[in-house]
DNA sequence: TGGTTCAAGATAAGG
DNA sequence: TCCTTATCTTGA
């Protein structure tokens, strides 16, 4: 597999027939993909094409005609390969645990035994095979052949699409080949080193082939060669000869802005530099075609460190007209793999990965660091070696499917999201900033008056002095609940909870609270955004590998944390707003989401999963009461239903009872203490305890579930989600009760939050696929806020897009594929739309059946 | 003395 | 001694 084809070592004279063979090859390769046949070898001999090991693939008349009339096809079936044996050319392991290969790997890795810290260098291998615990619903051992077949079937459309794409580009290649220059062959011979050369000769100056220096025909040979290669490594090369592969993973966002020189493709001891900035449009077109073909090709492993960056650079520099094509790119990123293997302490650079995930070492590092091409060479070699080691680990921990079918396909989706401009209303931001500034000044002056002297209101230590030493407000607190202390220094806390309590005795705490609220709003959500706005738009960044639970995070700016609710400023002095005539004080509202607006003729659409973690709890615990609530067709508020069950009352549930139920449910789900719950509910700890107990009696499966999570974690050292994501919790058996119980809560939390994260990531993939398949729809995914997705689209496509999105998002079977057959409870999605992020109103779908909508439906949540 | 870096505390989000 | 994040400010 992956050998360079024969003509390379001794390049023959290229004839028209050879080039036709190249076109034929594209068609045959696509057939290979179509039928899921792997390891096919094709040989070219003048006008004859031989296909070995082509299995049961049959050439249709129409496909033969594409090969050219002078081409004969000889088919020699050897062993048919069942398509179920491979997805993306990876055999799916039905064993959950390959102990031999893992242990063999660990024996070679000296770092393995220093793993007793809170954050281990390498996960501890489960003492027993996972199979023994697959009875529990969180197990991701679902991979029956029938199911994989179904998965393949659903993706046949995509293969078909790609086939057509390849065929349409044959004509483009044909035109290029006309420009053949016979003299170029000798030049090529000199430029392209032979694959039989050993490592020593590959370090010479010819190691790197610059695509711009090649003739069109020579380029054809390159593209020809890339078709057969089994494994490549790609990286972005910048003008200063640094690469995207060896920067610290934290610097990635900075790197993107720098000028990229080209994309380096390493394959079988050779490297090619594809230019990104050239004046020749046909060369750019050619690069786009060849790289796209390579990245779509499922039989080639594409190892890319920091893959999102590469996808972004390619998208921008090569002008992909059909941008969403990139959702078909399937890469392998050692940085993402490293995070899946060590979610609590992910590797922060390639150097870091090198230590734990590879045996590639020794004299390989003795290269000439002053020569950039030998640096590229070893970076690529190293990336491939690291990925190889990680592949073994991922498979032995049953993380491979998650990596292959969720995390890596998500990379292009995130790259697209990062390139989407989000429009902001600059004048509104400036107006808000001004309003907040004036009001903050007013509050600060008030605080100074109350303290009888000026102090820095932002400083916690100075607030501590004023409140406790000067005003002595802590004496009111020492009675019942005792003083809350800060976590590390045991200082008296000035947190919100404490200030709220003290506000009953003195006006200063509430002024401080109000100041903090406005200050946070101003610095983070107004001025913080203003700094990042360019040309009226803002771009956010998505980090796939930041959260141990598998959630996505957003930064610079963090749009996941923009407050939903607006803050109210009472007695606001209107005269300070520029252009306002009235000087009457009044109440104003500031909503941080208000300045995010959509483009002209566009509209935002938000799709929100309803109570996703609660539904997952129902699925995972298999609790009959919870399942009945979610499965019933009634659209009544779920918390009211829960409260009704809990209080065992037929009468109407009050709002207070509903709120209590909601709090109790989430608190108990995540293992809250009695005292904390008592504070939430403003009740005594003993009452809180009663509430917890009575809830657990009503829903015994929940307690069973939390206990199960803890037991599982103790037995195996880790817990896992719906789709097999794992988190190692070494403290679960710690002798210190505090650390142990923290790990226990983390175990429960991870099972639910992590499963929800899995499901939301799959949702993004399936929705983007569905939208891609309806090519006339122009919805662009802008945001993911854990359980909510936000798109921007032309207003006239709202209805149709809503239907597509809702259908996909409520199809649990599709979302869970190929990990599990579906969920035991239905998923419910709430759609809203509007022209500002702050004001989104419910979207009513066209009623499929009028009768179904004639029943009045109370609103949920 | 002025600038940088880092940890801690507080507060926003999501469930 | 609910969990998971990002960001900002202070103060050493």
């Amino acid at each position: 597999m992956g050998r360079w084809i024969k003509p390379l070592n001794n390049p023959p004279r290229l004839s028209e027939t050879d080039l036709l063979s190249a076109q034929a090859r594209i068609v045959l390769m696509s057939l290979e993909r179509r039928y899921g046949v792997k390891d096919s070898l094709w040989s070219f001999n003048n006008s004859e094409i031989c296909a070995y090991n082509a299995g049961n693939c049959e050439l249709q008349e129409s496909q033969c005609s594409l090969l050219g009339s002078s081409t004969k096809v000889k088919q020699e079936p050897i062993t048919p390969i069942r398509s179920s044996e491979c997805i993306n050319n990876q055999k799916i392991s039905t064993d959950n645990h390959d102990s031999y290969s893992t242990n063999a790997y660990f024996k070679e890795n000296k770092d393995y035994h220093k793993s007793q810290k809170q954050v281990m260098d390498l996960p501890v291998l489960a003492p027993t095979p996972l199979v023994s615990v697959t009875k529990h619903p969180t197990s991701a051992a679902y991979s029956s052949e029938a199911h994989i077949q179904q998965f393949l079937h659903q993706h046949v459309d995509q293969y078909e699409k790609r086939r057509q794409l390849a065929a349409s580009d044959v004509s483009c290649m044909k035109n290029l080949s006309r420009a053949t220059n016979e003299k170029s062959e000798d030049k090529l011979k000199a430029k392209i080193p032979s694959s039989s050369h050993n490592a020593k000769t590959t370090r010479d100056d010819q190691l790197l082939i610059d695509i711009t220096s090649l003739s069109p025909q020579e380029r054809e040979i390159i593209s020809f060669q890339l078709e057969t290669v089994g494994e490549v490594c790609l990286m972005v090369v910048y003008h200063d000869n640094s690469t995207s592969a060896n920067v610290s993973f934290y610097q990635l966002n900075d790197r993107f802005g720098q000028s990229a020189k080209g994309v380096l493709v390493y394959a079988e001891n050779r490297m090619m530099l594809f230019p990104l900035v050239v004046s020749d449009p046909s060369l750019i077109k050619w690069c786009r075609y060849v790289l796209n073909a390579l990245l779509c090709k499922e039989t080639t492993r594409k190892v890319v460190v920091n893959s999102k960056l590469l996808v972004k650079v390619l998208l921008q520099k090569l002008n992909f007209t059909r941008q969403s094509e990139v959702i078909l790119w399937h890469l392998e990123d050692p940085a993402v793999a490293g995070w899946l293997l060590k979610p609590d302490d992910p590797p922060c650079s390639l150097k870091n990965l090198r230590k734990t995930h590879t045996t590639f070492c020794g004299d390989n590092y003795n290269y000439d660091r002053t020569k950039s091409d030998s640096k590229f060479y070893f970076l690529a070699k190293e990336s491939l070696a690291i990925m190889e080691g990680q592949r073994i680990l991922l498979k032995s921990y049953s993380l491979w499917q998650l990596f292959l079918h969720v995390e890596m396909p998500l990379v292009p989706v995130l790259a697209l999201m990062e390139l989407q401009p989000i429009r902001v209303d600059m004048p509104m931001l400036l107006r808000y900033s001004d309003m907040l500034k004036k009001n903050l000044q007013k509050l600060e002056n008030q605080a100074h008056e109350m303290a009888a002297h000026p102090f820095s209101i932002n400083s916690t230590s100075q607030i501590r002095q004023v409140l406790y030493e000067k005003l002595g407000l802590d004496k009111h607190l020492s009675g019942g609940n005792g003083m809350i202390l800060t976590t590390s220094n045991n200082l008296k806390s000035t947190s919100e909870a404490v200030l709220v309590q003290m506000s009953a005795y003195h006006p200063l705490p509430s002024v401080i609270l109000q100041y903090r609220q406005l200050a946070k709003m101003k610095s983070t959500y107004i001025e913080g955004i203003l700094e990042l706005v360019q040309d009226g738009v803002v771009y956010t960044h998505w980090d796939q590998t930041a959260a141990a639970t598998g959630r996505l995070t957003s930064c610079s700016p963090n749009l996941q944390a923009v407050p939903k609710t607006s803050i109210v400023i009472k007695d606001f002095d209107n005269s300070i707003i520029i252009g306002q005539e009235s000087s009457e004080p009044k109440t104003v509202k500031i909503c941080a989401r208000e300045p995010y607006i959509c483009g002209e003729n566009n509209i935002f659409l938000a799709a929100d999963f309803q109570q996703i973690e609660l539904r997952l709890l129902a699925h995972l615990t298999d609790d009959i009461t919870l399942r009945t609530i979610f499965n019933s067709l009634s659209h009544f508020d779920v918390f009211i239903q829960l409260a009704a069950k809990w209080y065992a009352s037929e009468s109407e549930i009050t709002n207070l009872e509903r709120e209590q139920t909601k709090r109790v449910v989430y608190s108990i789900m995540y293992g809250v203490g009695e005292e904390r719950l008592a504070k939430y509910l403003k009740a005594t700890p003993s009452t809180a305890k009663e509430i917890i107990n009575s809830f657990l009696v009503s829903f015994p499966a929940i307690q069973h579930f939390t206990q199960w999570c803890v037991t599982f974690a103790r037995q195996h050292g880790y817990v896992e989600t719906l789709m097999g994501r794992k988190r190692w919790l070494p403290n679960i058996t710690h002798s210190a009760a505090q650390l142990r119980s923290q790990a226990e809560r983390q175990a429960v939390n991870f099972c639910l939050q992590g499963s929800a994260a899995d499901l939301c990531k799959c949702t993004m993939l399936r929705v983007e696929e569905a939208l891609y398949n309806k090519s006339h729809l122009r919805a662009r995914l802008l945001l993911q806020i854990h359980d909510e997705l936000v798109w921007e689209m032309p207003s006239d496509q709202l209805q149709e897009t809503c239907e597509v999105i809702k259908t996909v998002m409520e199809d649990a079977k599709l979302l869970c594929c190929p990990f599990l057959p579906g969920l035991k409870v239905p998923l419910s999605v709430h759609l809203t739309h509007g022209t500002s992020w702050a004001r989104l109103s419910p979207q009513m779908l066209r009623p499929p059946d009028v009768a179904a909508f004639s029943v009045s439906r109370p609103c949920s949540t």
Side-chain angles (χ1 to χ4, degrees):
Chain A
M1 171 90 192
R3 226 159 279 114
W4 291 94
I5 60 167
K6 211 176 176 185
L8 178 75
N9 290 337
N10 182 19
R13 296 173 74 80
L14 285 175
S15 64
E16 185 76 13
T17 322
D18 285 312
L19 289 159
L20 273 169
S21 301
Q23 295 152 23
R25 200 181 150 67
I26 292 171
V27 178
L28 290 170
M29 296 294 278
S30 69
L31 283 170
E32 214 179 52
R33 277 199 294 268
R34 173 69 180 78
Y35 288 93
V37 181
K38 65 172 183 178
D39 282 18
S40 296
L41 289 174
W42 312 90
S43 75
F44 300 82
N45 199 351
N46 290 327
S47 60
E48 198 173 63
I49 298 171
C50 298
Y52 300 99
N53 202 8
N56 53 1
C57 103
E58 285 168 26
L59 294 179
Q60 309 266 319
E61 276 288 303
S62 57
Q63 286 155 344
C64 283
S65 69
L66 266 173
L67 306 181
S69 54
S70 66
T71 311
K72 278 184 280 176
V73 176
K74 198 170 92 185
Q75 198 185 354
E76 293 191 10
I78 303 175
T79 324
I81 298 170
R82 284 179 300 135
S83 59
S84 60
E85 282 180 0
C86 60
I87 287 181
N88 291 359
N89 196 31
Q90 296 302 329
K91 187 173 180 295
I92 288 174
S93 168
T94 40
D95 313 320
N96 276 304
H97 187 227
D98 184 352
S99 61
Y100 174 75
S101 61
T102 313
N103 290 335
Y105 177 79
F106 279 142
K107 270 177 200 158
E108 290 170 22
N109 197 318
K110 288 173 191 166
D111 289 340
Y112 172 49
H113 292 290
K114 49 168 192 177
S115 60
Q116 296 310 310
K117 293 181 287 174
Q118 155 71 23
V119 177
M120 294 173 294
D121 289 328
L122 270 172
V124 177
L125 199 62
T128 49
L130 292 180
V131 184
S132 65
V133 291
T134 52
K135 279 179 186 165
H136 196 272
T138 55
S139 167
Y142 182 84
S143 61
S144 76
E145 182 148 321
H147 206 65
I148 291 160
Q149 284 286 5
Q150 188 196 351
F151 184 71
L152 278 173
H153 196 75
Q154 283 167 348
H155 285 71
V156 156
D157 280 357
Q158 288 182 20
Y159 301 142
E160 199 57 32
K161 218 162 223 164
R162 238 168 287 173
R163 192 188 66 75
Q164 285 164 8
L165 193 75
S168 75
D169 276 309
V170 165
S171 57
C172 155
M173 285 180 65
K174 211 168 184 175
N175 292 336
L176 280 168
S177 69
R178 295 253 156 79
T180 302
N181 178 359
E182 297 215 344
K183 281 182 192 168
S184 62
E185 289 160 30
D186 293 332
K187 263 174 20 197
L188 188 67
K189 214 187 259 179
K191 275 176 194 162
I192 303 177
S194 154
S195 65
S196 62
H197 285 187
N198 57 27
K200 215 171 184 180
T201 50
T202 53
R203 291 187 203 180
D204 61 22
D205 289 338
Q206 296 180 351
L207 191 60
L208 184 65
I209 304 163
D210 190 347
I211 296 292
T212 42
S213 70
L214 302 183
S215 72
Q217 196 186 7
E218 289 165 334
R219 282 188 239 143
E220 282 324 298
I221 293 177
I222 295 284
S223 91
F224 204 62
Q225 290 164 349
L226 283 174
E227 297 254 331
T228 47
V229 76
E231 191 172 60
V232 294
C233 175
L234 295 97
M235 62 186 88
V236 181
V237 175
Y238 296 92
H239 280 299
D240 61 356
N241 280 332
S242 62
T243 71
S244 61
N246 61 338
V247 298
S248 158
F249 301 163
Y250 299 123
Q251 296 171 359
L252 290 182
N253 294 338
D254 302 332
R255 300 290 320 178
F256 180 62
Q258 291 191 15
S259 51
K261 183 162 78 176
V263 167
L264 185 133
V265 178
Y266 165 95
E268 309 224 321
N269 290 331
R270 288 150 216 257
M271 296 186 295
M272 287 144 267
L273 187 67
F274 286 74
L276 292 172
V277 195
V278 279
S279 50
D280 179 6
S282 77
L283 180 57
I284 283 290
K285 195 176 171 188
W286 180 85
C287 288
R288 186 166 66 221
Y289 163 73
V290 173
L291 289 172
N292 187 46
L294 177 69
L295 292 166
C296 283
K297 198 168 174 332
E298 300 204 2
T299 48
T300 306
R301 285 172 174 160
K302 285 86 53 178
V303 175
V304 188
V305 181
N306 302 326
S307 50
K308 191 180 67 187
L309 185 61
L310 179 98
V311 175
K312 268 175 85 173
V313 167
L314 285 177
L315 270 171
Q316 265 214 332
K317 304 277 181 175
L318 292 187
N319 295 323
F320 272 84
T321 46
R322 287 168 290 188
Q323 282 215 337
S324 35
E325 262 171 20
V326 300
I327 68 168
L328 304 175
W329 294 359
H330 285 201
L331 312 170
E332 291 181 20
D333 190 334
V336 176
W339 164 70
L340 277 181
L341 290 164
K342 270 169 76 178
D344 271 292
D345 179 29
C348 58
S349 65
L350 196 67
K351 202 174 156 187
N352 202 312
L353 273 171
R354 184 185 294 154
K355 285 184 196 155
T356 46
H357 292 134
T358 183
T359 50
F360 179 82
C361 57
D363 62 339
N364 287 333
Y365 286 109
N366 300 325
Y367 63 89
D368 183 357
R369 279 157 206 270
T370 57
K371 280 192 175 174
S372 57
D373 45 2
S374 54
K375 186 183 80 179
F376 302 152
Y377 180 82
F378 282 103
L379 273 175
K381 281 285 238 197
E382 188 178 46
S383 307
L384 292 176
I386 288 170
M387 196 62 233
E388 204 175 322
Q390 287 177 324
R391 231 173 259 133
I392 296 165
L393 280 174
L394 288 169
K395 284 177 185 172
S396 37
Y397 289 116
S398 306
L399 287 165
W400 181 247
Q401 288 204 50
L402 181 73
F403 179 70
L404 208 62
H405 298 309
V406 182
E407 298 298 346
M408 291 323 298
L410 194 67
V411 168
V413 175
L414 296 179
L416 279 170
M417 285 169 77
E418 289 194 359
L419 291 173
Q420 299 299 353
I422 300 166
R423 212 173 132 188
V424 288
D425 186 342
M426 282 279 276
M428 187 184 284
L429 282 174
L430 291 167
R431 206 164 59 240
Y432 278 174
S433 169
D434 195 47
M435 284 160 72
L436 289 165
K437 190 180 165 190
K438 302 266 166 65
N439 226 67
L440 282 166
Q441 189 61 56
K442 203 170 107 185
L443 286 168
E444 195 174 359
N445 292 341
Q446 278 181 17
H448 292 173
E449 273 174 36
M450 286 170 187
H453 66 90
F455 66 98
S456 175
I457 196 166
N458 276 321
S459 162
T460 46
S461 60
Q462 291 191 37
I463 289 177
R464 204 171 286 127
Q465 275 184 352
V466 171
L467 291 182
Y468 304 132
E469 288 171 26
K470 193 153 189 285
L471 301 174
L473 290 176
D474 49 333
K475 67 173 185 278
H476 299 292
L477 304 173
S478 50
N481 296 327
M483 189 64 218
I484 297 175
L485 301 177
T486 58
T487 44
S488 56
N489 291 336
N490 281 345
L491 296 168
K492 288 173 184 171
S493 172
T494 64
S495 68
E496 188 183 357
V498 180
L499 294 185
V500 165
Q501 281 185 50
M502 291 190 298
S503 58
Y505 308 101
H506 197 278
L508 183 55
S510 55
V511 171
I512 294 171
L513 281 173
Q514 213 186 341
Y515 181 90
R516 280 179 180 172
Q517 190 187 29
L518 298 190
K520 177 78 179 174
M521 174 71 90
K522 180 170 171 278
S523 66
T524 308
Y525 303 112
I526 306 297
E527 289 177 355
I529 301 296
L530 269 171
E531 283 171 17
L532 296 165
V533 176
Q534 284 178 338
D535 302 324
V537 296
V538 75
Y539 298 88
T540 185
H541 298 95
W542 300 96
D543 193 342
Q544 193 174 0
T545 62
T549 49
R551 278 186 167 187
L552 284 177
T553 62
S554 151
C555 65
S556 46
N558 176 6
L559 294 182
Q560 287 179 321
V562 177
K564 209 178 210 172
T565 51
S566 44
I567 57 169
V568 178
I569 306 174
K570 283 175 187 164
D571 305 325
F572 181 75
D573 186 2
N574 248 344
S575 62
I576 63 176
I577 309 175
I578 307 149
Q580 288 271 349
E581 297 283 319
S582 161
S583 60
E584 287 283 304
K586 67 164 195 177
T587 301
V588 293
K589 270 189 182 178
I590 293 180
C591 180
R593 290 189 178 186
E594 192 81 42
Y596 297 87
I597 49 173
C598 50
E600 240 170 83
N601 300 322
N602 281 357
I603 197 154
F604 288 135
L605 172 68
D608 199 346
F609 276 121
Q610 302 281 288
Q611 311 99 18
I612 183 139
E613 287 185 18
L614 199 56
R615 282 170 197 264
L616 282 169
L617 181 76
H619 170 80
L620 294 172
T621 59
D622 213 359
D623 184 291
I624 188 71
T625 322
L626 281 170
R627 277 178 59 192
T628 311
I629 290 170
F630 285 124
N631 277 311
S632 69
L633 289 173
S634 151
H635 291 269
F636 282 97
D637 184 301
V638 68
F639 290 109
I640 289 180
Q641 291 204 19
L642 265 178
K645 297 271 177 192
W646 182 24
Y647 291 106
S649 118
E650 295 298 317
S651 62
E652 209 173 302
I653 297 296
T654 64
N655 206 33
L656 183 73
E657 282 170 328
R658 182 191 173 275
E659 278 303 304
Q660 286 205 340
T661 312
K662 192 176 166 183
R663 281 179 183 176
V664 169
V665 169
Y666 280 120
S667 306
I668 294 169
M669 272 165 73
Y670 301 120
V672 75
E674 293 153 19
E675 291 191 10
R676 190 65 171 241
L677 185 65
K679 254 173 213 157
Y680 271 140
L681 298 175
K682 287 176 183 156
T684 61
S686 60
T687 317
K689 192 177 181 179
E690 272 173 39
I691 290 170
I692 293 172
N693 287 341
S694 77
F695 185 86
L696 291 177
V697 166
S698 300
F699 303 102
I702 292 175
Q703 199 166 22
H704 176 247
F705 175 72
T706 51
Q707 282 169 356
W708 181 87
C709 288
V710 172
T711 312
F712 186 97
R714 260 187 221 134
Q715 277 176 2
H716 302 98
Y718 68 86
V719 273
E720 62 179 349
T721 64
L722 212 58
M723 299 188 184
R725 187 187 306 283
K726 289 175 182 59
R727 185 172 188 187
W728 282 266
L729 297 164
N731 282 345
I732 199 83
T733 51
H734 203 282
S735 54
Q738 190 179 331
L739 291 174
R740 195 173 60 243
S741 55
Q742 185 189 24
E744 286 171 356
R745 288 192 304 272
Q746 284 174 332
V748 181
N749 181 264
F750 176 79
C751 284
L752 290 164
Q753 200 181 88
S755 295
D758 290 348
L759 205 64
C760 292
K761 281 181 168 172
C762 287
T763 306
M764 291 169 76
L765 295 175
R766 298 291 98 86
V767 173
E768 287 303 285
E769 276 169 19
L771 292 173
Y772 172 59
N773 288 334
K774 296 211 169 213
S775 53
H776 65 287
L777 293 180
R778 291 273 166 267
R780 304 178 296 129
L781 185 57
L782 301 183
L783 302 173
Q784 191 252 34
I785 307 138
H786 308 305
D787 67 325
E788 183 184 358
L789 295 169
V790 181
W791 292 266
E792 184 177 347
M793 69 193 68
S795 323
D796 55 1
Q797 294 187 340
L798 180 66
Q799 188 70 36
E800 194 184 350
T801 312
C802 280
E803 279 161 23
V804 172
I805 286 170
K806 198 172 166 73
T807 309
V808 173
M809 286 179 79
E810 293 190 343
D811 187 347
K813 208 173 163 184
L814 174 69
L815 300 182
C816 294
C817 197
F819 296 93
L820 64 165
L823 298 177
K824 292 167 187 160
V825 287
L827 290 169
S828 166
V829 173
H830 185 234
L831 297 175
T832 50
H833 72 278
T835 52
S836 158
W837 193 20
R839 283 170 287 114
L840 299 176
S841 51
Q843 166 69 21
M844 293 299 285
L845 284 182
R846 237 188 329 247
D849 173 21
V850 179
F853 274 74
S854 60
V855 187
S856 68
R857 301 186 304 161
C859 241
S860 62
T861 325

